[in-house]
Amino acid sequence: MNATRLDRLTPFAAVGGPALMALYGGIRLLDGSRDPGPGWMVGHTLMLAGLLLFGPVLAALRGRLAPRRTVGRIAANAAAGAAFAGLAASVVQIGIDLYVGAVAADKADQQRMFESVQDRPGVLPAFYSVGPLLFYVGLLALLVAASAGATRALRWWSPVLMLLGTAMTVVDLALIPPAAVLYLVALAPLAGFGGARRPVAA
């Protein structure tokens, strides 16, 4: 993806990613949405689309870091790599959820299918616990780097809001909608709100 195309896509992705996550969280609160059926499929499809939009967001954040020192470049690339790896794991998890929701006959069948998948060696940590966590850790690291030091591409409150939103979802998945709003505000500078700055070498 070239820089010009990324610049055009980033504002849409910075708004669309959290917005679709909020819609997923809202649908998840509806009766029957956690059972196989339209609610499950629509909600998880929205979440999948929202996650995919975070790809350009991560690329844009990495592009706003311009460390001159080798150690700085290594750290920035490691944060971006962790975030992309976690994003890929999250996408696989949603893909599994969509497949199970599409083929399961009922709630009991859905549960049996999830247990069958998650009992396979490595699946649970790779796609349901450790793997997806890398997305949030890497994203937070990129936000911190983009808002601190000499680069100052973002404001200090971006990583704070992202951390708070993530903590909310850890406490209770029912808090996904307000957490997504915090994500939206945290990423607003990438959409042209809140005074995002261009990269400065450091």
Side-chain angles (χ1 to χ4, degrees), residues 15 64 109 113 115 132 158 168 171-173 178 183 187 197:
V15 173
R64 279 167 168 73
D109 190 33
M113 293 185 67
E115 290 175 356
S158 286
M168 290 170 64
V171 171
D172 192 338
L173 292 178
Y183 291 170
L187 298 175
R197 301 168 183 167

Side-chain angles (χ1 to χ4, degrees), residues 63-168:
R64 279 167 168 73
L65 304 178
R68 286 196 298 246
R69 298 178 181 177
T70 301
V71 65
R73 290 194 296 272
I74 292 174
N77 289 336
F84 275 112
L87 180 61
S90 299
V91 167
V92 171
Q93 179 191 142
I94 294 297
I96 294 171
D97 292 351
L98 280 169
Y99 172 77
V100 171
V103 302
D106 51 31
K107 184 68 174 179
D109 190 33
Q110 180 188 46
Q111 185 62 35
R112 284 193 297 271
M113 293 185 67
F114 274 129
E115 290 175 356
S116 176
V117 171
Q118 294 174 8
D119 282 345
R120 296 176 183 273
V123 169
L124 199 60
F127 303 119
Y128 283 89
S129 56
V130 179
L133 181 61
L134 292 176
F135 167 60
Y136 296 99
V137 172
L139 175 56
L140 182 61
L142 289 172
L143 287 171
V144 169
S147 62
T151 56
R152 296 292 179 91
L154 301 180
R155 303 300 186 186
W156 64 268
W157 39 262
S158 286
V160 173
L161 293 178
M162 184 63 64
L163 179 60
L164 180 58
T166 301
M168 290 170 64

